[in-house]
Amino acid sequence: MGKSWLFSLAFFGWIILITILSLVRFPDDPVVGLEIPHLDKIVHFTFYFIAAILASFYQREVFVKRITFNKILLISLLFAWVYGIIIEVLQSTITTARSGDMNDVWANCLGGLIGVLLLKLWFSAKPVH
């Protein structure tokens, strides 16, 4: 079993956290004095950057030697993109406190892309088992 339970917990926990934070209403008042331009887009980028990385490590442990690392990265990227789009659609359709935003979709997709590219660069010099 190895580390697969740890990566499973981390990945699915992160996806649940993204879902809750994306669909639940929070107080409108930001932290006083905290005015960071485009903070929302930075948060979206970070959510899906981490999601893509965790998805890759999760799959790497679960599908040991059955799927190439490049396929794992592609699946992780597609998951991050599709899930990010789904969350934005859900924000537009099932919530009254949130609204979907195409710029959020772009931030989500960019986060996922940079996450898998970073892993590709990181592991390209190392043999993948």
Side-chain angles (χ1 to χ4, degrees):
M1 184 177 224
K3 297 179 259 183
S4 65
W5 69 271
L6 177 63
F7 288 117
S8 297
L9 180 64
F11 172 64
F12 289 109
W14 189 253
I15 295 306
I16 290 168
L17 179 67
I18 288 174
T19 305
I20 291 169
L21 293 176
S22 297
L23 299 177
V24 173
R25 181 184 176 108
F26 294 96
D28 291 335
D29 294 331
V31 176
V32 176
L34 184 64
E35 296 293 327
I36 300 173
H38 310 293
L39 178 62
D40 176 51
K41 303 309 175 249
I42 295 168
V43 169
H44 280 269
F45 176 92
T46 303
F47 278 173
Y48 290 89
F49 173 84
I50 293 171
I53 290 172
L54 290 175
S56 298
F57 283 119
Y58 163 72
Q59 289 179 84
R60 187 171 181 221
E61 288 297 317
V62 171
F63 300 115
V64 176
K65 296 184 182 179
R66 291 182 286 184
I67 300 178
T68 65
F69 192 62
N70 286 335
K71 285 184 183 177
I72 286 172
L73 293 176
L74 179 60
I75 292 167
S76 299
L77 177 61
L78 292 175
F79 170 79
W81 285 356
V82 169
Y83 194 74
I85 292 167
I86 289 170
I87 287 295
E88 293 304 317
V89 169
L90 290 175
Q91 285 181 338
S92 293
T93 58
I94 68 167
T95 68
T96 56
R98 301 274 184 172
S99 61
D101 180 358
M102 193 60 193
N103 289 327
D104 290 347
V105 170
W106 289 116
N108 298 346
C109 291
L110 185 60
L113 178 63
I114 299 299
V116 297
L117 288 176
L118 180 70
L119 287 178
K120 177 69 175 170
L121 289 172
W122 178 266
F123 287 105
S124 64
K126 301 176 184 180
V128 178
H129 301 273

